[in-house]
Amino acid sequence: MTKSAAPGLQDAARILQAAGGPLLSQAKLHAKLAGIEWQEEKNRLLRMLAAALLGFACLLCALLFAGALALAMTWDTPYRVPTIAALVILSSLGLVAAWRYFKAQSALESFAASREELAADSALLKAAS
């Protein structure tokens, strides 16, 4: 039984030895591609964070100053309550715009090239075996 299994193991060892170099090279390429994509993903996330923080700070300042100005101008008039309602509506619209931008940025695909390469290599290995 061991004699019949030995040639199969020797063939498998020979195949692995012959394919070891190219497989290692391919693994290095995948690792390099994943590293590049991870750097791009980090940069995209940092840009998203910076945009969100800047947008929040600007929105907060604008709302505070515009609200204070609008209320100061309409305090002794019958337009005080409609002015407050308009400020709330405008604040909500700003929030919706910021949320849509954030959602659009988060929907962008990451590591697409690595996934495509791994799928192609997997298909190639399945076809070879």
Side-chain angles (χ1 to χ4, degrees):
M1 208 178 256
T2 56
K3 289 188 177 187
S4 63
L9 289 176
Q10 289 175 351
D11 290 340
R14 230 179 283 125
I15 290 171
L16 285 175
Q17 187 178 13
L23 283 176
L24 185 61
S25 175
Q26 190 68 17
K28 285 179 184 179
L29 288 175
H30 282 299
K32 192 174 189 178
L33 178 61
I36 291 169
E37 286 186 336
W38 173 243
Q39 187 63 38
E40 289 176 358
E41 182 68 11
K42 285 193 315 188
N43 290 338
R44 183 181 74 88
L45 290 173
L46 283 174
R47 287 191 308 268
M48 284 175 58
L49 178 64
L53 290 176
L54 181 63
F56 179 71
C58 290
L59 180 64
L60 185 62
C61 288
L63 289 175
L64 287 173
F65 290 123
L69 178 64
L71 286 175
M73 292 176 65
T74 61
W75 191 255
D76 291 331
T77 67
Y79 299 111
R80 181 181 348 168
V81 173
T83 301
I84 293 172
L87 289 172
V88 169
I89 291 170
L90 287 175
S91 300
S92 299
L93 289 175
L95 176 65
V96 167
W99 180 251
R100 283 187 176 179
Y101 176 77
F102 186 80
K103 290 283 281 186
Q105 287 296 309
S106 66
L108 295 175
E109 280 196 35
S110 58
F111 296 100
S114 287
R115 285 195 308 262
E116 288 175 11
E117 284 296 320
L118 287 171
D121 288 346
S122 176
L124 205 73
L125 287 173
K126 286 179 184 176
S129 59

